[in-house]
Amino acid sequence: MLNVQKAALFAISALGGLSNAKDIYVSPTGTGTGTSTSPYGSIQSAVNAAAAGDTIFLKAGTYKPTTNIQFKTNGTRTSPITVRSYQTEKVIIDGENLPGTPYGLDESLPNKERGIFHIQYANYWKFYNLELINGPYGIYARDASHNYYELITTHDNYETGFQIEGASSNNTVLYLDSYRNRDPRKNGESADGFACKSGSGEGNVLRNARLWDNVDDGLDLFMFGSPVTIEEVYSFQNGFNRWGFSNFNGDGNGFKLGITGNPPANHIVRNSIAYSNAKKGFIDNGNPGSLTVERNTAWNNGDVGFNFRSSSSSLKSNIAAVNVGSAQVTLVSTVKASGNSWQSGTWSNSSFVSVDPSTLQKARLSNGRVPSSEFLIPKSGEALGATTKADV
Ligand SMILES: *[C@@H]1O[C@H](CO)[C@@H](O)[C@H](O)[C@H]1NC(C)=O
Ligand SMILES: *[C@@H]1O[C@H](CO)[C@@H](O)[C@H](O)[C@H]1NC(C)=O
Ligand SMILES: *[C@@H]1O[C@H](CO)[C@@H](O)[C@H](O)[C@H]1NC(C)=O
């Protein structure tokens, strides 16, 4: 067949594929049927109407659902279902009117009421550029795989901002900002910035995220039995009682990477920073696996920088400096450590080009990444610790 004919056929079949996919519109003031000129008012209506290949566009404004938005259908690998802000419009989904915001101390939060977005048995979805606030969890994705999240912000929720749980694999979370999440229901015991918890599944990735001012830990992989990949994640100022909770239970670690008795989970943590957290920077929390921990920096935390009690983790080219603990690190003797800052002399604030985190905390760049800076770059020029510079 001539190449021209092949190309024409390809174009026709591609159009055929596209023509099945619909665009569905929602607006906070909508009263219509989901078209661009007559959008739905309810995100749930759009989610219910969506099939593989469809795109749901949320128009600018603040949505205030009164029931948790349930995702329970599947896209496919080649035709995922997309939920995104229309163009680059600002979309806020405010969960304050949902049940459980908050329930009383020690009351339980039923599964279906977890998450402004409750994503369960729902695979091949993509989410872009959405802000979820004041919910009973922001994103709660359980038994959900092959989903992709980009530029999601979750803050001031009454539980963890973004949680993956259960049998969940191959999820990618890129450019997450998750902050000031807290749990009055538990006096700070449970609300993290990001958690991938209580479950298993390969291929979950968190990359270029900022997790700060959360009541418990910045990141928690409690009881997750498979490796999670964490790269370019900045976890700071977590674990302080900013809400005046009595019997405060916040843990305040930057990165909590397991739990004693977990099935061993060989998590990978690279190029990430824990700073100014109430307690420790990076901890395996007794995870008996072999974690790979490379080019990370723990600075100015309220306790040790790295606390690894597991038998065989590998710590390479990390920095622990200016942490306020009995030591910069506490490592069981069987941890394999090489080329880390604590193996080469004394480090202080003056060892760094900059100890000013303010650039890291500024608005993201148009490509989604956090702005790069000299924050915690060794003055010596040694290839040690994390860098926010994209060229590494
Ligand atoms: C979505 O896919 C999962 C995994 O194949 C399956 O268990 C579930 O039943 C599917 N959901 C629907 C609504 O078809
Ligand atoms: C995850 O993705 C990889 C690569 O595409 C694939 O080989 C693997 O089967 C997926 N895992 C699951 C549980 O679907
Ligand atoms: C290091 O610098 C930070 C930021 O300026 C400051 O808060 C901290 O107290 C300093 N620590 C020491 C030991 O100098």
Side-chain angles (χ1 to χ4, degrees):
M1 200 187 293
L2 291 173
N3 278 341
V4 176
Q5 286 174 308
K6 268 196 215 162
L9 275 178
F10 178 76
I12 288 164
S13 63
L15 278 176
L18 280 178
S19 67
N20 292 328
K22 39 183 201 305
D23 290 342
I24 303 171
Y25 290 83
V26 193
S27 155
T29 54
T31 53
T33 54
T35 62
S36 65
T37 49
S38 180
Y40 284 126
S42 138
I43 298 173
Q44 185 71 67
S45 299
V47 168
N48 293 348
D54 292 351
T55 301
I56 297 171
F57 289 106
L58 304 184
K59 306 281 294 225
T62 300
Y63 295 78
K64 294 190 167 178
T66 51
T67 53
N68 307 70
I69 299 165
Q70 307 286 340
F71 293 78
K72 47 190 173 187
T73 52
N74 294 319
T76 67
R77 188 175 62 80
T78 49
S79 297
I81 308 172
T82 300
V83 182
R84 57 173 312 143
S85 67
Y86 181 65
Q87 297 176 345
T88 56
E89 291 184 5
K90 186 158 179 67
V91 169
I92 297 172
I93 308 167
D94 182 341
E96 193 68 58
N97 296 336
L98 296 173
T101 55
Y103 283 131
L105 189 61
D106 297 329
E107 282 180 12
S108 66
L109 179 63
N111 174 48
K112 284 213 152 28
E113 295 182 3
R114 297 182 191 172
I116 300 175
F117 283 4
H118 183 92
I119 302 165
Q120 190 164 15
Y121 310 125
N123 303 329
Y124 297 110
W125 285 77
K126 291 182 152 191
F127 301 87
Y128 296 89
N129 199 33
L130 307 170
E131 186 170 334
L132 297 104
I133 67 173
N134 301 330
Y137 293 90
I139 301 266
Y140 185 80
R142 179 173 196 161
D143 308 315
S145 296
H146 313 287
N147 295 322
Y148 179 87
Y149 306 84
E150 183 176 314
L151 282 173
I152 304 297
T153 300
T154 49
H155 65 88
D156 294 287
N157 294 290
Y158 295 93
E159 244 294 353
T160 292
F162 194 125
Q163 183 153 317
I164 292 173
E165 196 176 311
S168 295
S169 51
N170 284 344
N171 297 292
T172 300
V173 183
L174 198 58
Y175 310 144
L176 170 71
D177 280 336
S178 190
Y179 57 96
R180 237 164 35 219
N181 299 291
R182 80 302 197 192
D183 54 350
R185 199 168 55 92
K186 293 185 177 177
N187 277 334
E189 192 184 339
S190 174
D192 307 309
F194 174 87
C196 184
K197 263 185 177 173
S198 307
S200 63
E202 64 181 339
N204 295 301
V205 177
L206 175 69
R207 188 173 289 129
N208 208 266
R210 294 182 293 199
L211 315 169
W212 74 97
D213 288 1
N214 298 289
V215 71
D216 194 30
D217 301 301
L219 175 142
D220 195 353
L221 305 182
F222 177 83
M223 293 299 283
F224 201 77
S226 309
V228 177
T229 301
I230 314 279
E231 290 174 338
E232 299 174 348
V233 176
Y234 313 111
S235 183
F236 48 99
Q237 297 161 195
N238 297 291
F240 294 97
N241 188 357
R242 301 167 198 278
W243 299 269
F245 293 158
S246 55
N247 303 317
F248 184 62
N249 273 330
D251 285 338
N253 301 296
F255 296 77
K256 191 193 266 180
L257 305 169
I259 182 78
T260 309
N262 223 11
N266 302 338
H267 303 307
I268 296 168
V269 187
R270 289 197 193 100
N271 204 11
S272 294
I273 305 179
Y275 70 89
S276 303
N277 292 290
K279 299 276 178 52
K280 300 176 176 75
F282 298 80
I283 67 170
D284 68 1
N285 212 25
N287 178 351
S290 301
L291 290 78
T292 300
V293 181
E294 293 176 355
R295 293 291 307 261
N296 304 289
T297 301
W299 171 79
N300 198 36
N301 295 289
D303 199 336
V304 297
F306 293 81
N307 180 328
F308 279 68
R309 294 183 271 143
S310 93
S311 57
S312 55
S313 291
S314 165
L315 271 68
K316 196 174 160 199
S317 305
N318 302 287
I319 296 176
V322 197
N323 299 292
V324 184
S326 49
Q328 291 304 312
V329 297
T330 50
L331 309 177
V332 71
S333 62
T334 43
V335 162
K336 299 179 211 81
S338 64
N340 301 288
S341 67
W342 57 91
Q343 300 173 291
S344 67
T346 309
W347 289 64
S348 67
N349 276 343
S350 60
S351 308
F352 299 103
V353 181
S354 166
V355 290
D356 175 6
S358 59
T359 302
L360 179 60
Q361 298 171 358
K362 285 186 180 147
R364 288 177 175 274
L365 306 175
S366 57
N367 66 9
R369 298 179 57 83
V370 303
S372 66
S373 70
E374 306 283 313
F375 180 50
L376 301 182
I377 303 288
K379 262 185 198 160
S380 65
E382 288 169 277
L384 274 188
T387 168
T388 54
K389 295 190 168 181
D391 54 359
V392 165

mmCIF file of all heavy atoms in Angstrom, residues 151-175:
data_model
loop_
_atom_site.group_PDB
_atom_site.id
_atom_site.type_symbol
_atom_site.label_atom_id
_atom_site.label_comp_id
_atom_site.label_asym_id
_atom_site.label_seq_id
_atom_site.Cartn_x
_atom_site.Cartn_y
_atom_site.Cartn_z
ATOM 1 N N LEU A 151 -0.020 18.195 39.193
ATOM 2 C CA LEU A 151 -0.356 19.536 39.693
ATOM 3 C C LEU A 151 -1.603 19.536 40.564
ATOM 4 O O LEU A 151 -2.502 20.372 40.393
ATOM 5 C CB LEU A 151 -0.530 20.517 38.530
ATOM 6 C CG LEU A 151 0.763 21.027 37.902
ATOM 7 C CD1 LEU A 151 0.465 21.850 36.653
ATOM 8 C CD2 LEU A 151 1.563 21.862 38.911
ATOM 9 N N ILE A 152 -1.661 18.604 41.493
ATOM 10 C CA ILE A 152 -2.755 18.570 42.459
ATOM 11 C C ILE A 152 -2.275 19.275 43.728
ATOM 12 O O ILE A 152 -1.124 19.098 44.149
ATOM 13 C CB ILE A 152 -3.153 17.107 42.773
ATOM 14 C CG1 ILE A 152 -3.516 16.347 41.489
ATOM 15 C CG2 ILE A 152 -4.273 17.058 43.800
ATOM 16 C CD1 ILE A 152 -4.701 16.868 40.723
ATOM 17 N N THR A 153 -3.141 20.082 44.309
ATOM 18 C CA THR A 153 -2.848 20.711 45.603
ATOM 19 C C THR A 153 -3.904 20.244 46.599
ATOM 20 O O THR A 153 -5.097 20.290 46.304
ATOM 21 C CB THR A 153 -2.886 22.245 45.475
ATOM 22 O OG1 THR A 153 -1.914 22.658 44.514
ATOM 23 C CG2 THR A 153 -2.574 22.913 46.807
ATOM 24 N N THR A 154 -3.450 19.753 47.750
ATOM 25 C CA THR A 154 -4.391 19.304 48.786
ATOM 26 C C THR A 154 -3.999 19.987 50.089
ATOM 27 O O THR A 154 -2.892 19.792 50.581
ATOM 28 C CB THR A 154 -4.329 17.773 48.964
ATOM 29 O OG1 THR A 154 -2.968 17.361 49.105
ATOM 30 C CG2 THR A 154 -4.893 17.051 47.758
ATOM 31 N N HIS A 155 -4.884 20.843 50.607
ATOM 32 C CA HIS A 155 -4.516 21.504 51.872
ATOM 33 C C HIS A 155 -5.708 21.739 52.783
ATOM 34 O O HIS A 155 -6.861 21.768 52.359
ATOM 35 C CB HIS A 155 -3.770 22.812 51.593
ATOM 36 C CG HIS A 155 -4.571 23.877 50.903
ATOM 37 N ND1 HIS A 155 -5.328 24.793 51.606
ATOM 38 C CD2 HIS A 155 -4.727 24.182 49.610
ATOM 39 C CE1 HIS A 155 -5.903 25.616 50.730
ATOM 40 N NE2 HIS A 155 -5.565 25.271 49.520
ATOM 41 N N ASP A 156 -5.394 21.857 54.055
ATOM 42 C CA ASP A 156 -6.396 22.109 55.086
ATOM 43 C C ASP A 156 -7.493 21.050 55.110
ATOM 44 O O ASP A 156 -8.636 21.343 55.434
ATOM 45 C CB ASP A 156 -6.996 23.516 54.929
ATOM 46 C CG ASP A 156 -5.959 24.607 55.199
ATOM 47 O OD1 ASP A 156 -5.602 24.798 56.376
ATOM 48 O OD2 ASP A 156 -5.471 25.234 54.233
ATOM 49 N N ASN A 157 -7.128 19.823 54.732
ATOM 50 C CA ASN A 157 -8.091 18.731 54.860
ATOM 51 C C ASN A 157 -8.087 18.200 56.287
ATOM 52 O O ASN A 157 -7.147 18.448 57.045
ATOM 53 C CB ASN A 157 -7.753 17.639 53.842
ATOM 54 C CG ASN A 157 -7.965 18.163 52.435
ATOM 55 O OD1 ASN A 157 -9.103 18.386 52.017
ATOM 56 N ND2 ASN A 157 -6.887 18.404 51.709
ATOM 57 N N TYR A 158 -9.181 17.471 56.648
ATOM 58 C CA TYR A 158 -9.336 16.967 58.010
ATOM 59 C C TYR A 158 -8.791 15.548 58.147
ATOM 60 O O TYR A 158 -9.219 14.774 58.996
ATOM 61 C CB TYR A 158 -10.812 17.010 58.427
ATOM 62 C CG TYR A 158 -11.373 18.408 58.523
ATOM 63 C CD1 TYR A 158 -12.026 18.993 57.443
ATOM 64 C CD2 TYR A 158 -11.244 19.147 59.705
ATOM 65 C CE1 TYR A 158 -12.542 20.274 57.525
ATOM 66 C CE2 TYR A 158 -11.755 20.424 59.788
ATOM 67 C CZ TYR A 158 -12.402 20.989 58.700
ATOM 68 O OH TYR A 158 -12.920 22.256 58.782
ATOM 69 N N GLU A 159 -7.887 15.190 57.276
ATOM 70 C CA GLU A 159 -7.128 13.931 57.344
ATOM 71 C C GLU A 159 -5.983 14.139 56.359
ATOM 72 O O GLU A 159 -5.741 15.280 55.947
ATOM 73 C CB GLU A 159 -8.012 12.733 56.955
ATOM 74 C CG GLU A 159 -8.260 11.717 58.083
ATOM 75 C CD GLU A 159 -7.004 10.973 58.533
ATOM 76 O OE1 GLU A 159 -5.955 11.124 57.895
ATOM 77 O OE2 GLU A 159 -7.073 10.233 59.529
ATOM 78 N N THR A 160 -5.313 13.052 55.966
ATOM 79 C CA THR A 160 -4.196 13.173 55.033
ATOM 80 C C THR A 160 -4.635 13.871 53.741
ATOM 81 O O THR A 160 -5.750 13.667 53.266
ATOM 82 C CB THR A 160 -3.635 11.759 54.769
ATOM 83 O OG1 THR A 160 -3.028 11.318 55.984
ATOM 84 C CG2 THR A 160 -2.625 11.739 53.643
ATOM 85 N N GLY A 161 -3.752 14.685 53.191
ATOM 86 C CA GLY A 161 -4.090 15.412 51.967
ATOM 87 C C GLY A 161 -4.312 14.484 50.783
ATOM 88 O O GLY A 161 -5.325 14.576 50.087
ATOM 89 N N PHE A 162 -3.355 13.566 50.576
ATOM 90 C CA PHE A 162 -3.391 12.679 49.404
ATOM 91 C C PHE A 162 -3.006 11.293 49.883
ATOM 92 O O PHE A 162 -1.886 11.101 50.345
ATOM 93 C CB PHE A 162 -2.390 13.174 48.363
ATOM 94 C CG PHE A 162 -2.541 12.570 46.993
ATOM 95 C CD1 PHE A 162 -2.693 13.382 45.888
ATOM 96 C CD2 PHE A 162 -2.535 11.202 46.801
ATOM 97 C CE1 PHE A 162 -2.833 12.847 44.616
ATOM 98 C CE2 PHE A 162 -2.679 10.650 45.538
ATOM 99 C CZ PHE A 162 -2.822 11.482 44.436
ATOM 100 N N GLN A 163 -3.924 10.332 49.786
ATOM 101 C CA GLN A 163 -3.626 8.983 50.270
ATOM 102 C C GLN A 163 -3.915 7.925 49.226
ATOM 103 O O GLN A 163 -4.976 7.900 48.621
ATOM 104 C CB GLN A 163 -4.414 8.680 51.553
ATOM 105 C CG GLN A 163 -4.065 7.306 52.133
ATOM 106 C CD GLN A 163 -4.279 7.229 53.634
ATOM 107 O OE1 GLN A 163 -3.927 8.167 54.357
ATOM 108 N NE2 GLN A 163 -4.840 6.147 54.120
ATOM 109 N N ILE A 164 -2.946 7.024 49.047
ATOM 110 C CA ILE A 164 -3.112 5.817 48.238
ATOM 111 C C ILE A 164 -3.132 4.651 49.211
ATOM 112 O O ILE A 164 -2.357 4.628 50.168
ATOM 113 C CB ILE A 164 -1.949 5.685 47.231
ATOM 114 C CG1 ILE A 164 -2.053 6.794 46.180
ATOM 115 C CG2 ILE A 164 -1.939 4.307 46.579
ATOM 116 C CD1 ILE A 164 -0.859 6.864 45.231
ATOM 117 N N GLU A 165 -4.024 3.694 49.000
ATOM 118 C CA GLU A 165 -4.185 2.614 49.968
ATOM 119 C C GLU A 165 -4.612 1.323 49.269
ATOM 120 O O GLU A 165 -5.063 1.353 48.121
ATOM 121 C CB GLU A 165 -5.260 3.061 50.978
ATOM 122 C CG GLU A 165 -5.292 2.264 52.255
ATOM 123 C CD GLU A 165 -6.315 2.822 53.256
ATOM 124 O OE1 GLU A 165 -6.338 4.033 53.517
ATOM 125 O OE2 GLU A 165 -7.086 2.003 53.780
ATOM 126 N N GLY A 166 -4.496 0.210 49.952
ATOM 127 C CA GLY A 166 -5.030 -1.058 49.442
ATOM 128 C C GLY A 166 -4.216 -1.626 48.289
ATOM 129 O O GLY A 166 -3.022 -1.399 48.177
ATOM 130 N N ALA A 167 -4.887 -2.391 47.429
ATOM 131 C CA ALA A 167 -4.227 -3.010 46.279
ATOM 132 C C ALA A 167 -4.142 -1.967 45.172
ATOM 133 O O ALA A 167 -5.065 -1.796 44.390
ATOM 134 C CB ALA A 167 -5.023 -4.223 45.823
ATOM 135 N N SER A 168 -3.029 -1.257 45.146
ATOM 136 C CA SER A 168 -2.893 -0.126 44.221
ATOM 137 C C SER A 168 -1.521 -0.166 43.572
ATOM 138 O O SER A 168 -0.509 -0.192 44.273
ATOM 139 C CB SER A 168 -3.066 1.196 44.977
ATOM 140 O OG SER A 168 -4.383 1.313 45.486
ATOM 141 N N SER A 169 -1.475 -0.160 42.265
ATOM 142 C CA SER A 169 -0.172 -0.189 41.602
ATOM 143 C C SER A 169 -0.112 0.782 40.435
ATOM 144 O O SER A 169 -1.137 1.216 39.914
ATOM 145 C CB SER A 169 0.157 -1.607 41.126
ATOM 146 O OG SER A 169 -0.906 -2.126 40.397
ATOM 147 N N ASN A 170 1.127 1.088 40.065
ATOM 148 C CA ASN A 170 1.387 1.908 38.887
ATOM 149 C C ASN A 170 0.672 3.249 38.909
ATOM 150 O O ASN A 170 0.157 3.704 37.884
ATOM 151 C CB ASN A 170 1.032 1.129 37.608
ATOM 152 C CG ASN A 170 2.092 0.079 37.284
ATOM 153 O OD1 ASN A 170 3.202 0.131 37.825
ATOM 154 N ND2 ASN A 170 1.766 -0.846 36.420
ATOM 155 N N ASN A 171 0.608 3.861 40.057
ATOM 156 C CA ASN A 171 0.086 5.228 40.136
ATOM 157 C C ASN A 171 1.252 6.214 40.139
ATOM 158 O O ASN A 171 2.278 5.972 40.773
ATOM 159 C CB ASN A 171 -0.734 5.403 41.421
ATOM 160 C CG ASN A 171 -1.944 4.493 41.425
ATOM 161 O OD1 ASN A 171 -2.876 4.687 40.640
ATOM 162 N ND2 ASN A 171 -1.926 3.482 42.280
ATOM 163 N N THR A 172 1.083 7.312 39.435
ATOM 164 C CA THR A 172 2.113 8.351 39.384
ATOM 165 C C THR A 172 1.534 9.654 39.909
ATOM 166 O O THR A 172 0.462 10.081 39.455
ATOM 167 C CB THR A 172 2.593 8.563 37.935
ATOM 168 O OG1 THR A 172 3.134 7.328 37.457
ATOM 169 C CG2 THR A 172 3.671 9.640 37.864
ATOM 170 N N VAL A 173 2.236 10.261 40.851
ATOM 171 C CA VAL A 173 1.813 11.546 41.417
ATOM 172 C C VAL A 173 2.948 12.536 41.193
ATOM 173 O O VAL A 173 4.043 12.395 41.740
ATOM 174 C CB VAL A 173 1.496 11.415 42.922
ATOM 175 C CG1 VAL A 173 0.996 12.742 43.480
ATOM 176 C CG2 VAL A 173 0.464 10.313 43.162
ATOM 177 N N LEU A 174 2.681 13.526 40.360
ATOM 178 C CA LEU A 174 3.712 14.479 39.939
ATOM 179 C C LEU A 174 3.299 15.882 40.348
ATOM 180 O O LEU A 174 2.139 16.265 40.150
ATOM 181 C CB LEU A 174 3.807 14.379 38.412
ATOM 182 C CG LEU A 174 5.014 14.916 37.694
ATOM 183 C CD1 LEU A 174 6.283 14.258 38.193
ATOM 184 C CD2 LEU A 174 4.850 14.653 36.194
ATOM 185 N N TYR A 175 4.221 16.642 40.917
ATOM 186 C CA TYR A 175 3.973 18.059 41.240
ATOM 187 C C TYR A 175 2.834 18.237 42.251
ATOM 188 O O TYR A 175 1.963 19.088 42.072
ATOM 189 C CB TYR A 175 3.692 18.885 39.969
ATOM 190 C CG TYR A 175 4.692 18.708 38.865
ATOM 191 C CD1 TYR A 175 4.296 18.717 37.528
ATOM 192 C CD2 TYR A 175 6.036 18.531 39.149
ATOM 193 C CE1 TYR A 175 5.223 18.553 36.503
ATOM 194 C CE2 TYR A 175 6.965 18.364 38.122
ATOM 195 C CZ TYR A 175 6.545 18.376 36.810
ATOM 196 O OH TYR A 175 7.461 18.207 35.801
#
